[in-house]
Amino acid sequence: MSQVLIPPTVGRVVWFYPSLLTGEAGFASPKGDTPLAAIIAHVWSDTLLNLAVFDANGASHSRTSVRLIHEDLTADRPSEAFCMWMPFQKGQAKAQTAAAAPPGDAVTEQLIVAKSKTAPRVTPADLADNIVDTEIIKHVGPSGQILRWAVLTTRSGFAVTGRPSAAVSAENDDPEIGVATAIENARNELWPLMGYALKQRLHEEATGQV
């Protein structure tokens, strides 16, 4: 799954990494490469922020024009100070993206449009618009087996889940694949429910019950 760009907004929490070259004057710094908590105070762009950084003692420090790195670090960390999203935030963003536009639904939709099928139906856009929250629940069994369920909450407040994704061996677990599979399984449960609701509405309109 490709990297998801999370638009920074004032008030959100990020991880702040002090400069390796100069450190941070007046900071009570944690040991090793442990990040510090920071709150976004101002957004210059998607990659440049002003932060209120909290040191290891909880004291607040102002830092301006700090680079926000969206990508996962695959090599040595930058020597200058920077900030990143937390893994949980990245996971939630990927889950929301997967719920909104999975490739399989997009291909099916293109085929339907190409064949000029215009009768009332539930479209991928309808499905995505009806999902207002996606929660991923992870369970690790005694044997190490990893299960993930996706709970999709609709606009009416009704929640739907599907079969879990499963990694029999923990060594084979891939969080991105597990989350995407769990979301797809939950969406497959929501499709027929929305189809029934549409069919019921069309029946009521045709028989004058509305």
Side-chain angles (χ1 to χ4, degrees):
M1 191 178 295
S2 60
Q3 185 70 37
V4 177
L5 178 67
I6 305 175
T9 54
V10 172
R12 297 197 69 176
V13 177
V14 293
W15 277 353
F16 175 81
Y17 290 83
S19 170
L20 290 175
L21 299 177
T22 62
E24 299 293 337
F27 271 44
S29 298
K31 296 181 179 179
D33 202 32
T34 304
L36 297 168
I39 296 177
I40 300 175
H42 180 73
V43 177
W44 295 106
S45 69
D46 285 342
T47 57
L48 198 64
L49 310 172
N50 289 353
L51 303 175
V53 181
F54 297 89
D55 67 17
N57 291 335
S60 175
H61 304 266
S62 174
R63 289 296 180 269
T64 59
S65 300
V66 178
R67 182 161 68 108
L68 171 62
I69 298 178
H70 292 271
E71 301 80 14
D72 295 328
L73 296 180
T74 56
D76 294 337
R77 56 162 285 189
S79 57
E80 74 276 9
F82 68 96
C83 62
M84 294 184 67
W85 296 110
M86 295 179 286
F88 174 79
Q89 294 167 313
K90 293 180 181 180
Q92 289 297 304
K94 290 177 181 178
Q96 294 287 353
T97 299
D105 288 347
V107 172
T108 302
E109 179 67 9
Q110 290 173 3
L111 290 173
I112 293 174
V113 172
K115 292 179 180 294
S116 300
K117 303 296 184 181
T118 58
R121 59 189 177 87
V122 178
T123 68
D126 295 332
L127 191 74
D129 187 59
N130 194 26
I131 299 171
V132 297
D133 184 71
T134 301
E135 179 184 1
I136 303 298
I137 298 174
K138 177 182 176 182
H139 171 77
V140 181
S143 67
Q145 182 181 17
I146 297 176
L147 304 175
R148 288 183 177 86
W149 288 264
V151 180
L152 309 180
T153 301
T154 65
R155 291 190 175 278
S156 69
F158 187 78
V160 176
T161 189
R163 293 179 294 103
S165 63
V168 177
S169 300
E171 295 79 6
N172 293 334
D173 180 60
D174 185 303
E176 292 187 8
I177 295 175
V179 167
T181 301
I183 290 174
E184 181 179 1
N185 291 344
R187 286 170 59 94
N188 288 339
E189 297 298 322
L190 183 56
W191 275 111
L193 295 177
M194 292 184 61
Y196 172 81
L198 174 59
K199 190 67 174 178
Q200 181 66 26
R201 179 171 64 81
L202 294 174
H203 169 72
E204 291 174 352
E205 291 176 353
T207 57
Q209 298 180 35
V210 178

